[in-house]
């Protein structure tokens, strides 16, 4: 809902300043487009302000309206606006340029108007399924301040701890019951049956405190166990007397007067996570020879680094808790019999750099029960996921000798499978989107039917809606991923209201103020991505190979020979697809004389030979790349390497670019996080990255790197040229940004911090689910029906 004062001021303006208001609406109509995005509205308004009539618009309600507009829909005299007054707060307006009136309308009417653009005029009695999940969330704790978004666990601890421990000892009893349920296989942990009420727990804690005060702090649990067991305590309190005593004193403080901080500190040390299942079905999931294949890139790197960090965090935590237990992590993915030289046909594969983490591969089965042998695009896998979830469940239970304690889903398909598994197994579930396709592809929801044959967005968006609302909690890499910026909507925010014309409309899908959202930023492997100045660790044996790649002959999936090897190098590396916008960068470079004079461009992406590509989008981008190289005559200034670099080699490649006083460029149209951004920054390489998505938060503009707008390529290219020119005149300028990049990564993006925070979240959400009604049973049942009646037929239709 819009603020009443703002709406009334807007209505008065249209009544009293009809001429100026009409001019504004007329200018928008003159653009001749039925759909306008925020930037198009802003550009049109900027042109109005620059005209003779511009002065009278400053400070008016119309200015505020247009500045807040995220989307405009035009049909004849009618103009409908989606207005975002602040993060997460939307309203919808209907205006008429002939009658000169403005009114607020419900979201369903705005979506209906958009549907008419696609389907034409419809009979008002036509029915379309309308999804409104808000009624299921009434009475559930919800945040209201934008600064709280992404800090869900902090909010829950503050809100629920006060309610839980109010009066009559209810909270203390629930906490006691929670401590009594912990087991590892047949071993009882924390409390045994001796302690069966809160009074006995308090008494046992006091007696234990006297005992622990009388022995050395280093006394191990094994020596204390007989006496502590007699009091009712089992392993899990700590490895020695000092830790056990501190932990028990913390519990006494909570029983006496709990605080959110002390409760979280207590919960984050409870031994309740011994095994984790990580779901990532699509793509080629392996440890080598897979990066750069279709649907395979940063997500694989992310998960493998995540698993290594989680295993270290789990092992350290269990040791501190005094438990001799080997944690287990299984990455559950798809087995591909036609593995093309990769290990994707191995049912079980140990993960390098871990002691007990493995990749567990389960094949897709077709409707007849036969194994599907070949790779399948992430857009085509939806019919296989339900059966895959059952097969994966059986394999998991066998491999772990029981159910996992925590399930993590990755991407839309993995999140859906994680939702199905967690509901059947009764396990806490975390979702990680990595990227949500609806925000990557323009109007992919509105024109879903036009793209259905290739992308099957109807399945994906339905799966996303189900998984987002089923998850116990969701982690994102940045705030932007959830709620965007003050000017633009975030990935999840864009799932609040949308329509798939003819299928269903969503009037309330996901709420960014839901406390299930938490920001947990990943890091980089510090053994691989370290500063260029750390000469003792440099992989100098790679230098000759890297120089040959940069300055050698063309041919063999390489194109272009750099004629001036003394220039700084601009470097970019990504999959060759439309969203990554590699060809966009090459076009900017080719058209910018100043940038071509200042630097050479090195591109590591895709294949130079289009015949080697098995992906249509990649194939088209490769052809476009060749056209651009020819059109701008770039063969002497652009070096295109059609290959993918393994991690260790890539780390040294970044550092060699830094040796040349170059820069890294990430030009994506949208990037959910941007692992290559922090990889480059962690080597000290100045970085230019898209202002849409995670890099906007990773980089502090002109301090630790630079933001660029992929929609304004000429400006972006000139920005790079100006920076390199300044560095040529004053090398301290390059060093300033390099130092800022290193400091930023050290402060915010480490895997150790990531793993510890994720483990804390899993325990805290597990606790609140045990002691409160966070299960949202009514919502779960509704989503099960939505799955059966909507998702399942859509998925099955793909195979027909």
């Amino acid at each position: 809902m819009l603020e009443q004062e703002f709406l009334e001021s807007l209505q008065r303006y249209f009544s009293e300043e009809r001429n100026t208001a009409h001019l504004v609406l007329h200018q928008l109509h003159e653009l001749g487009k039925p759909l306008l995005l925020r930037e198009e509205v802003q550009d049109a308004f900027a042109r109005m302000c620059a005209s003779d009539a511009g002065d009278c618009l400053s400070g008016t309600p119309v200015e505020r309206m247009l500045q807040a507009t995220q989307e405009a829909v035009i049909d004849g005299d009618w103009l409908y606006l989606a207005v975002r007054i602040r993060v997460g707060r939307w309203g919808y307006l209907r205006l008429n340029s002939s009658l000169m009136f403005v009114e607020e309308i419900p979201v369903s009417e705005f979506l209906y108007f958009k549907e008419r653009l696609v389907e034409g005029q419809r009979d008002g009695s036509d029915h379309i399924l309308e999804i409104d999940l808000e009624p299921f969330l009434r009475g559930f704790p919800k945040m209201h301040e934008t600064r709280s978004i992404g800090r869900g666990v902090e909010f829950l601890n503050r809100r629920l701890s006060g309610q839980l421990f109010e009066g009559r000892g209810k909270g203390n009893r629930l906490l006691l019951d929670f401590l009594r349920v912990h087991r590892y296989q047949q071993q009882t942990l924390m409390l045994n049956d001796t302690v069966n009420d809160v009074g006995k727990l308090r008494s046992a804690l006091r007696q234990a405190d006297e005992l622990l005060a009388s022995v050395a702090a280093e006394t191990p649990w094994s020596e204390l166990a007989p006496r502590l067991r007699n009091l009712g305590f089992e392993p899990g309190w700590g490895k020695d007397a000092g830790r056990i005593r501190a932990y028990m004193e913390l519990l006494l403080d909570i029983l006496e007067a709990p605080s959110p901080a002390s409760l979280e500190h207590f919960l984050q040390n409870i031994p309740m996570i011994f095994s984790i299942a990580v779901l990532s079905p699509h793509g080629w999931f392996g440890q080598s020879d897979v990066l750069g294949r279709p649907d395979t890139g940063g997500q694989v790197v992310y998960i493998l680094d995540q698993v290594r960090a989680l295993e270290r965090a789990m092992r350290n935590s269990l040791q501190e808790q005094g438990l001799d237990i080997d944690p287990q992590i299984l990455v559950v993915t798809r087995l591909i019999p036609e593995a093309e030289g990769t290990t994707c046909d191995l049912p079980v594969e140990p993960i390098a750099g871990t002691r007990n983490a493995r990749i567990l591969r389960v094949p897709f089965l077709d409707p007849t029960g036969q194994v599907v042998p070949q790779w399948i695009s992430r857009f085509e896998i939806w019919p296989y996921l339900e059966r895959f979830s059952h097969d994966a469940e059986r394999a998991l239970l066998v491999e772990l000798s029981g159910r996992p304690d925590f399930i993590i889903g990755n991407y839309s398909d993995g999140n859906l499978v994680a939702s199905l598994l967690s509901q059947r197994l009764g396990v806490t579930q975390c979702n990680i989107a990595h990227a949500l396709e609806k925000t990557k592809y323009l109007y992919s929801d509105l024109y879903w039917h036009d793209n259905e044959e290739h992308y099957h967005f109807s399945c994906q968006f339905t799966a996303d809606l189900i998984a987002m609302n089923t998850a116990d909690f969701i982690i994102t890499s940045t705030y932007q991923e959830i709620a965007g910026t003050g000017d633009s909507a975030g990935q999840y925010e864009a799932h609040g209201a949308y329509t798939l014309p003819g299928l269903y409309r969503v009037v309330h899908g996901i709420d960014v103020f839901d406390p299930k959202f938490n920001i947990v930023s990943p890091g980089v492997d510090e053994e691989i991505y370290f500063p260029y100045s750390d000469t003792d660790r440099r992989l100098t044996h790679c230098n000759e190979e890297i120089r040959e790649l940069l300055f050698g002959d063309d041919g063999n999936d390489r194109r272009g020979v750099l004629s001036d090897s003394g220039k700084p190098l601009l470097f970019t590396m990504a999959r060759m697809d439309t969203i990554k916008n590699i060809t966009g960068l090459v076009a900017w470079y080719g058209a910018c004389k100043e940038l071509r004079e200042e630097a050479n461009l090195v591109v590591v992406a895709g294949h130079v030979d289009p015949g080697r590509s098995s992906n249509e989008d990649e194939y088209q981008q490769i052809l476009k790349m060749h056209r651009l190289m020819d059109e701008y005559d770039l063969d002497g200034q652009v070096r295109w390497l059609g290959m993918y670099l393994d991690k260790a080699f890539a780390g040294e490649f970044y550092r060699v670019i830094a040796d040349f006083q170059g820069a890294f460029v990430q030009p994506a149209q949208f990037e959910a996080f941007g692992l290559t951004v922090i990889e480059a920054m962690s080597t000290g390489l100045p970085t230019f990255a898209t202002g849409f998505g995670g890099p906007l938060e990773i980089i502090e503009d002109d301090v630790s790197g630079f933001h660029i707008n992929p929609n304004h390529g000429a400006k972006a290219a000139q920005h790079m040229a100006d920076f390199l020119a300044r560095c040529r005149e004053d090398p301290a300028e390059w060093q300033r940004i390099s130092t800022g990049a290193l400091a930023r990564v050290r402060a915010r993006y480490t895997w150790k911090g990531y793993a510890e925070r994720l483990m804390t979240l899993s325990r805290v959400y597990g606790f609140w689910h045990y002691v409160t009604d966070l299960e949202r049973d009514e919502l779960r049942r509704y989503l099960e029906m939505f799955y059966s009646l909507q998702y399942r037929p859509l998925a099955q239709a793909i195979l027909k």
Side-chain angles (χ1 to χ4, degrees):
M1 296 287 291
L2 296 173
E3 301 165 1
Q4 189 62 31
E5 182 182 350
F6 166 63
L7 185 59
E8 290 175 354
S9 68
L10 194 60
Q11 290 168 335
R12 281 195 305 271
Y13 189 86
F14 270 75
S15 175
E16 297 170 4
E17 303 289 341
R18 294 175 60 89
N19 186 53
T20 306
H22 184 272
L23 170 66
V24 172
L25 299 185
H26 178 71
Q27 291 295 320
L28 294 176
H29 280 87
E30 283 295 298
L31 295 176
K33 298 178 65 175
L35 291 167
L36 298 176
L37 294 175
R38 180 181 184 276
E39 286 202 347
E40 295 171 308
V41 174
Q42 294 297 301
D43 290 344
F45 184 67
R47 290 193 294 271
M48 286 182 247
C49 290
S51 68
D52 294 338
D55 291 342
C56 63
L57 293 172
S58 179
T60 66
V62 169
E63 179 184 43
R64 185 183 176 196
M65 176 187 74
L66 294 182
Q67 286 177 338
T69 295
Q70 296 293 312
E71 188 176 16
V73 189
I74 302 172
D75 183 17
D77 293 338
W78 291 101
L79 174 66
Y80 284 66
L81 302 179
V83 180
R84 183 176 181 259
I85 295 299
R86 62 187 179 94
V87 171
R89 300 302 185 196
W90 292 69
Y92 302 88
L93 294 172
R94 181 173 69 162
L95 305 91
N96 187 285
S97 59
S98 295
L99 302 176
M100 291 307 297
F101 79 90
V102 56
E103 64 178 347
E104 186 172 14
I105 58 173
V107 58
S108 57
E109 187 172 339
F110 175 79
L111 295 176
Y112 170 72
F113 192 73
K114 290 177 69 176
E115 291 160 8
R116 284 178 52 190
L117 292 178
V118 178
E119 299 186 307
Q121 184 70 41
R122 296 204 320 253
D123 184 336
S125 64
D126 288 354
H127 175 75
I128 183 172
L129 175 64
E130 192 166 276
I131 307 298
D132 183 1
L133 302 181
E134 187 173 25
F136 296 103
L137 306 178
R138 289 173 187 162
F140 190 84
K142 188 169 74 169
M143 302 175 292
H144 297 281
E145 302 301 323
T146 58
R147 65 186 300 271
S148 298
I149 293 172
R151 298 161 59 189
V153 77
E154 299 172 37
F155 171 81
L156 279 182
N157 282 340
R158 289 196 305 270
R159 176 65 68 87
L160 297 183
S161 60
Q163 297 175 6
L164 181 67
F165 292 96
E166 282 179 352
R168 300 192 179 183
K170 173 186 175 184
N172 290 345
R173 179 69 213 189
L174 288 171
L175 181 56
L176 169 65
D177 292 342
F178 181 70
L179 292 174
R180 285 162 51 92
V181 301
H182 296 297
R183 302 280 188 280
Y184 175 70
Q185 296 179 355
Q186 303 303 313
Q187 181 182 10
T188 299
L189 303 175
M190 301 303 288
L191 294 176
N192 59 40
D193 292 339
T194 303
V195 180
N196 53 22
D197 63 47
V198 176
K200 288 183 179 179
L201 175 60
R202 287 180 181 271
S203 176
L205 288 169
R206 295 189 196 105
Q207 293 179 64
D209 190 64
E210 293 178 6
L211 167 63
L212 295 169
S214 68
V215 301
E218 299 80 17
T219 307
W221 162 267
S222 58
E223 294 183 19
L224 300 166
R227 285 174 288 177
L228 288 175
R229 277 200 169 98
N230 286 335
L231 295 174
F233 299 108
E234 295 294 333
W237 294 90
K239 69 178 182 179
D240 55 39
R243 287 173 174 79
I244 297 168
R245 188 183 184 198
Y247 199 38
M248 289 183 172
E249 287 177 344
L250 180 59
L251 178 55
L252 275 171
D253 290 342
I254 292 171
L255 295 173
E256 185 71 13
S259 71
S262 62
L263 183 62
E264 180 173 326
H265 183 51
F266 181 78
L267 294 174
Q268 72 185 23
N269 289 292
I270 286 184
M272 52 191 291
I273 308 294
F274 311 105
S275 61
I276 298 176
V278 181
L279 276 297
S280 184
H282 81 257
W284 299 78
F285 199 101
Q287 300 178 79
S288 61
D289 301 321
V290 297
L291 295 183
R293 290 173 177 268
D295 297 342
T296 310
Q299 179 184 328
V300 172
V301 177
Y302 179 110
I303 292 173
L304 290 173
D305 285 344
Q306 174 200 58
V307 166
R308 295 183 184 103
L310 283 174
E311 190 196 55
R312 287 193 294 269
M314 293 169 70
R315 194 175 301 282
N316 291 339
S317 178
L318 291 168
Q319 288 175 352
E320 291 299 305
Q321 292 157 358
L323 299 173
D324 184 18
I325 295 173
D326 271 337
Q328 297 189 77
I329 303 178
L330 294 181
V331 177
V332 184
T333 189
R334 183 201 163 196
L335 184 142
I336 307 174
E338 295 177 3
E340 299 182 7
T342 72
T343 58
C344 293
D345 57 347
L346 295 181
V348 179
E349 179 184 358
I351 295 177
T354 71
R355 287 168 53 179
N356 208 16
R358 308 177 295 286
I359 301 171
L360 176 65
R361 297 188 178 92
V362 178
F364 284 170
L365 301 180
D366 66 20
T368 68
Q370 299 300 306
V371 172
V372 178
Q374 73 279 3
W375 167 84
I376 298 175
S377 162
R378 72 183 188 275
F379 298 116
E380 304 284 342
I381 65 173
W382 305 106
Y384 304 98
L385 294 182
E386 183 171 339
R387 185 160 186 172
F388 175 81
S389 75
H390 288 282
D391 295 339
E393 180 181 347
R394 288 190 290 271
L396 264 175
L397 294 176
V398 170
E399 192 70 18
L400 294 176
S401 299
R403 68 178 186 176
D405 301 302
F406 181 36
I407 293 176
I408 303 172
N410 290 273
Y411 198 72
S412 299
D413 52 303
N415 289 331
L416 181 66
V417 175
S419 298
L420 297 173
L421 284 174
S422 67
Q423 293 300 307
R424 293 199 295 264
L425 296 175
V427 175
T428 301
Q429 172 200 352
C430 165
N431 280 4
I432 308 173
H434 296 282
L436 293 166
E437 302 287 350
K438 194 169 83 65
T439 51
K440 288 171 61 177
Y441 295 85
L442 189 60
Y443 299 128
S444 54
D445 52 348
L446 191 60
Y447 294 104
W448 69 273
H449 203 275
D450 295 344
N451 298 305
E452 190 69 357
E453 183 177 353
H454 180 65
Y455 290 114
H456 302 291
F457 284 139
S458 63
C459 280
Q460 181 149 21
F461 299 166
T462 304
D464 283 333
L465 189 62
I466 292 169
M468 287 175 191
N469 285 283
T470 303
D472 295 305
F473 67 96
I474 296 170
I475 68 168
T476 69
S477 300
T478 63
Y479 180 97
Q480 322 293 330
E481 194 176 337
I482 309 170
T485 68
D487 296 327
S488 59
Q491 285 192 75
Y492 282 97
E493 188 178 4
H495 285 73
Y498 61 94
T499 181
L500 279 66
L503 190 61
Y504 61 81
R505 77 168 66 107
V506 178
V507 298
H508 188 100
I510 192 71
D511 190 341
V512 297
F513 290 95
D514 193 314
K516 69 171 55 183
F517 285 104
N518 292 272
I519 300 167
V520 187
S521 300
V524 292
D525 189 332
E526 297 174 10
E527 295 300 313
I528 291 174
Y529 302 105
F530 54 84
Y532 76 98
S533 57
D534 193 349
T535 55
D536 291 342
R537 299 167 67 194
R538 294 282 298 263
L539 307 181
T540 54
H541 65 277
C542 296
N543 286 356
E544 184 177 345
E545 183 179 354
I546 291 174
R547 289 192 67 87
E548 198 280 329
L549 286 175
L550 291 172
F551 304 112
D553 296 335
D554 60 7
N556 191 26
D557 235 10
R558 306 172 191 181
R559 178 171 177 180
V561 177
L562 303 180
S563 57
D564 184 351
S565 61
K567 286 183 178 180
L569 299 173
L570 280 178
F571 173 42
T572 191
M573 178 170 62
R575 294 192 311 275
M576 185 70 86
D577 65 27
T578 302
I579 295 298
K580 294 300 183 182
N581 199 31
I582 297 297
T583 54
L585 171 61
V586 173
W588 307 344
Y589 178 84
C592 184
K593 178 186 176 197
E594 293 84 359
L595 185 55
R596 292 176 66 168
E597 289 176 351
E598 293 292 342
N600 292 318
L601 176 62
V602 177
V603 175
V604 177
H607 299 285
V608 173
D609 178 4
R612 297 184 60 186
S613 175
S614 58
N615 179 274
E616 179 62 24
D617 188 17
E618 181 186 59
Y619 177 80
Q620 294 299 329
Q621 289 295 302
I622 291 170
L623 296 180
K624 184 176 180 180
M625 185 77 166
H626 283 292
R627 290 197 300 269
L628 291 169
M629 294 279 286
D630 295 337
E631 177 184 348
Y632 289 106
D633 191 21
L634 296 176
D635 283 293
Q637 293 181 289
V638 172
R639 179 70 163 172
W640 176 17
L641 304 175
M643 61 184 60
Y644 293 87
L645 312 179
D646 67 42
K647 287 177 61 176
F649 193 84
E652 191 61 28
F653 205 95
Y654 285 121
R655 288 185 286 272
V656 170
I657 301 296
D659 292 338
F660 280 87
Q661 301 289 281
F664 182 75
V665 187
Q666 203 267 36
Q669 295 172 3
F670 178 86
E671 186 63 60
F673 180 61
L675 276 176
T676 55
V677 172
I678 57 172
E679 288 172 0
M681 292 171 65
S682 68
T683 64
L685 195 57
T687 298
F688 292 82
T690 180
F692 296 100
L696 187 63
E697 192 168 318
I698 296 171
I699 292 174
E700 304 159 291
D701 193 49
D702 200 30
V703 175
S704 54
F706 302 97
H707 301 143
I708 55 175
N709 187 335
N711 298 311
H712 297 152
K715 289 183 180 179
Q718 191 61 54
H719 192 7
M720 296 176 218
D722 292 344
F723 169 70
L724 293 170
R726 292 198 305 273
C727 295
R728 176 167 43 79
E729 296 294 330
D730 179 11
E733 173 69 0
W734 189 94
Q735 192 60 52
R736 177 179 72 86
I737 299 299
S738 175
T739 301
L742 291 169
R744 182 68 170 172
V745 171
R746 282 195 298 267
R748 295 285 295 274
Y749 302 103
T750 68
W751 278 116
K752 181 177 184 292
Y754 171 99
E756 291 174 351
R757 187 59 181 164
L758 182 53
M759 295 306 298
T760 294
L761 292 174
S762 67
R763 295 182 180 107
V764 173
Y765 278 93
F767 170 74
W768 286 122
H769 275 269
Y770 181 83
V771 301
T772 67
D773 184 25
L774 283 185
E775 291 295 339
R776 312 184 197 192
D777 288 335
E778 298 87 352
L779 175 60
R780 179 176 60 81
R781 296 295 292 172
Y782 181 87
L783 293 172
E784 287 175 354
M785 180 175 64
F786 186 50
Y787 176 92
S788 297
L789 299 180
Q790 192 73 69
Y791 172 80
R792 187 178 282 149
L794 289 170
Q796 292 172 346
I798 294 176
L799 294 177
K800 294 179 180 177

